[in-house]
Amino acid sequence: MSFNIFFNSSDGAGDNFNKEFTFDFSFMEDCEYELTFSFLSDNQIQANFTGTKQLFSIAVQNFPLKNNFNSNTLMRNSDTAIIGFVSKNVLIDNNTQYSSLTSNVPVRCMKPTNNSFFVKLLDIDGELLTAFEKYNLALNFKKVKQYI
């Protein structure tokens, strides 16, 4: 079983680079899923996307991601909410950002237990972007088959 959930940044609360969405996840089975995404932005202002802003990551907070780690200098693993990366692409003279379902590897997650979550757009240094135009985000959930 797999399904998609489509989000438009105009429907969430807060700044586009730190957007809160709500969704009723109660229809989902309580099991493990592979999570992938596709992303498409509106035309961006060129001055906002130079240097470290040309590639950015998408993080989802309040999502129960599994086995998704961030390396650090402390010799211990820490969890990360990053689900993948998006790069700047010029399409017909527009500065858009996009990522397809096959651009990033899937991450594992469980059924979300909270109907409110944040989508954060982070620069290469892990800092929130300071400006971003509208975007669409599609999350694809694919149920993981369990082998006994």
Side-chain angles (χ1 to χ4, degrees):
M1 174 185 141
S2 70
F3 55 90
N4 296 312
I5 303 173
F6 180 79
F7 297 95
N8 183 313
S9 62
S10 298
D11 297 332
D15 295 316
N16 285 337
F17 51 84
N18 188 19
K19 186 67 72 173
E20 181 179 17
F21 291 103
T22 56
F23 187 81
D24 182 3
F25 292 100
S26 64
F27 74 94
M28 292 174 64
E29 292 182 52
D30 192 13
C31 63
E32 190 171 337
Y33 296 88
E34 282 188 350
L35 173 64
T36 54
F37 72 93
S38 59
F39 180 94
L40 178 64
S41 77
D42 199 357
N43 191 26
Q44 302 296 315
I45 299 169
Q46 180 64 30
N48 294 332
F49 291 93
T50 59
T52 61
K53 307 290 191 258
Q54 292 187 47
L55 173 72
F56 64 92
S57 57
I58 296 180
V60 288
Q61 291 189 320
N62 295 348
F63 250 57
L65 300 179
K66 292 184 65 175
N67 302 324
N68 204 32
F69 300 111
N70 187 30
S71 67
N72 56 47
T73 59
L74 303 176
M75 293 300 295
R76 65 174 183 257
N77 296 333
S78 62
D79 294 335
T80 181
I82 294 173
I83 61 171
F85 301 97
V86 178
S87 62
K88 180 177 109 173
N89 297 278
V90 177
L91 300 173
I92 315 170
D93 296 327
N94 288 331
N95 293 308
T96 59
Q97 272 65 28
Y98 74 88
S99 180
S100 68
L101 286 174
T102 59
S103 296
N104 290 283
V105 297
V107 295
R108 297 280 178 108
C109 75
M110 299 301 290
K111 171 187 174 180
T113 57
N114 190 334
N115 291 335
S116 174
F117 68 98
F118 286 87
V119 173
K120 296 181 178 281
L121 307 181
L122 308 173
D123 69 16
I124 199 75
D125 296 320
E127 302 295 323
L128 272 174
L129 295 178
T130 55
F132 205 85
E133 302 299 322
K134 297 181 294 186
Y135 63 85
N136 294 316
L137 173 67
L139 298 178
N140 175 266
F141 293 84
K142 182 179 178 184
K143 185 176 174 181
V144 175
K145 293 181 181 179
Q146 298 294 327
Y147 298 100
I148 300 177

